[in-house]
Amino acid sequence: MVRAFIIQTVTPGPCRILFANIYGSDNILTDQPNPTGSLTETEARRRRKEQVAAVARQVQSECSFQRHCASSDPVGEEVRRQVALEGGTIMPQTGIFQMARGEPFGTPVFTVWQSAANCGVSLVCENHENRQHAAAVLGQLFKLLRLHLRVLNQPEELLQKPGRMEAILHHFLPQGQLLFMNSRAVRHKEKELELVLSGK
């Protein structure tokens, strides 16, 4: 189960949350009920914002660290740049980190992330989920975001076309579930999505 899907800025400076979707009930998400046994709507909303912000800051920090390491290895960075140019593809930064219980979720979770330019995307997943599969699903989502929302050049388009974002998640991350799909199933889903997006 995915606990959260987040899109954010990653360059140095204030971290801006462009989009965030939280999955599950309020009590499952926070795991910290008040003495009456449940969180008020305001408390739950504040807690969700804190959770998203904590993940986003960690992703931004991981991106900065990777960039710093790359800058100290100019030969390796040049090789990666040439591979990207020759293949005509964008090679995103990728990473994964563990978040312990209470930091900021009530149960241990891990986060997989990818970034390119000033756009980072991440999935916060329950600890029992397969990390390689989560990374593969995130890669598929990032590819679709670049294709249908131009998040690398115009990340603000996310704010202008939330319907497109919701359609992508509905097809490839329904209710926070990581889908196991072969290449044929992925192509079928992509065709379905294109039909839906043609009307948006």
Side-chain angles (χ1 to χ4, degrees):
M1 178 74 181
V2 171
R3 303 284 291 271
F5 171 75
I6 303 167
I7 306 175
Q8 65 179 90
T9 60
V10 292
T11 51
C15 181
R16 185 182 180 194
I17 309 297
L18 301 173
F19 180 90
N21 206 0
I22 301 285
Y23 298 96
S25 69
D26 287 346
N27 286 338
I28 291 175
L29 283 169
T30 61
D31 296 313
Q32 296 183 13
N34 62 25
T36 64
S38 62
L39 289 167
T40 66
E41 183 177 345
T42 301
E43 290 171 334
R45 185 162 49 247
R46 177 184 58 79
R47 180 62 178 159
R48 287 194 294 268
K49 287 182 178 180
E50 290 174 354
Q51 291 170 329
V52 168
V55 173
R57 287 193 298 270
Q58 183 67 26
V59 169
Q60 185 184 40
S61 176
E62 297 261 332
C63 286
S64 296
F65 178 72
Q66 283 198 15
R67 286 173 179 166
H68 174 74
C69 291
S71 66
S72 63
D73 179 21
V75 175
E77 181 63 18
E78 181 61 25
V79 170
R80 286 188 290 272
R81 186 179 295 111
Q82 287 300 320
V83 170
L85 289 173
E86 291 172 7
T89 60
I90 296 172
M91 297 181 66
Q93 292 178 280
T94 63
I96 181 170
F97 56 86
Q98 182 75 35
M99 304 187 80
R101 180 181 177 88
E103 296 180 0
F105 294 84
T107 56
V109 295
F110 68 90
T111 298
V112 293
W113 61 268
Q114 291 191 11
S115 72
N118 189 26
C119 180
V121 297
S122 58
L123 290 177
V124 181
C125 305
E126 293 179 349
N127 235 23
H128 62 81
E129 294 289 357
N130 183 291
R131 285 156 172 73
Q132 287 185 327
H133 180 52
V137 171
L138 182 63
Q140 179 68 30
L141 289 170
F142 201 16
K143 184 186 82 170
L144 293 168
L145 289 174
R146 299 198 304 266
L147 178 63
H148 297 294
L149 284 167
R150 296 180 294 180
V151 294
L152 299 187
N153 299 322
Q154 297 177 329
E156 288 76 14
E157 189 167 334
L158 281 168
L159 306 176
Q160 300 168 4
K161 299 181 179 179
R164 285 182 166 247
M165 186 68 252
E166 294 292 347
I168 291 171
L169 293 180
H170 174 73
H171 282 78
F172 288 89
L173 195 68
Q175 299 179 339
Q177 298 297 319
L178 294 172
L179 301 179
F180 283 92
M181 295 187 291
N182 58 27
S183 57
R184 177 178 293 183
V186 169
R187 287 195 299 271
H188 178 71
K189 284 279 188 181
E190 288 175 340
K191 289 180 180 179
E192 285 184 345
L193 178 62
E194 287 176 3
L195 288 175
V196 172
L197 295 181
S198 65
K200 293 186 180 295

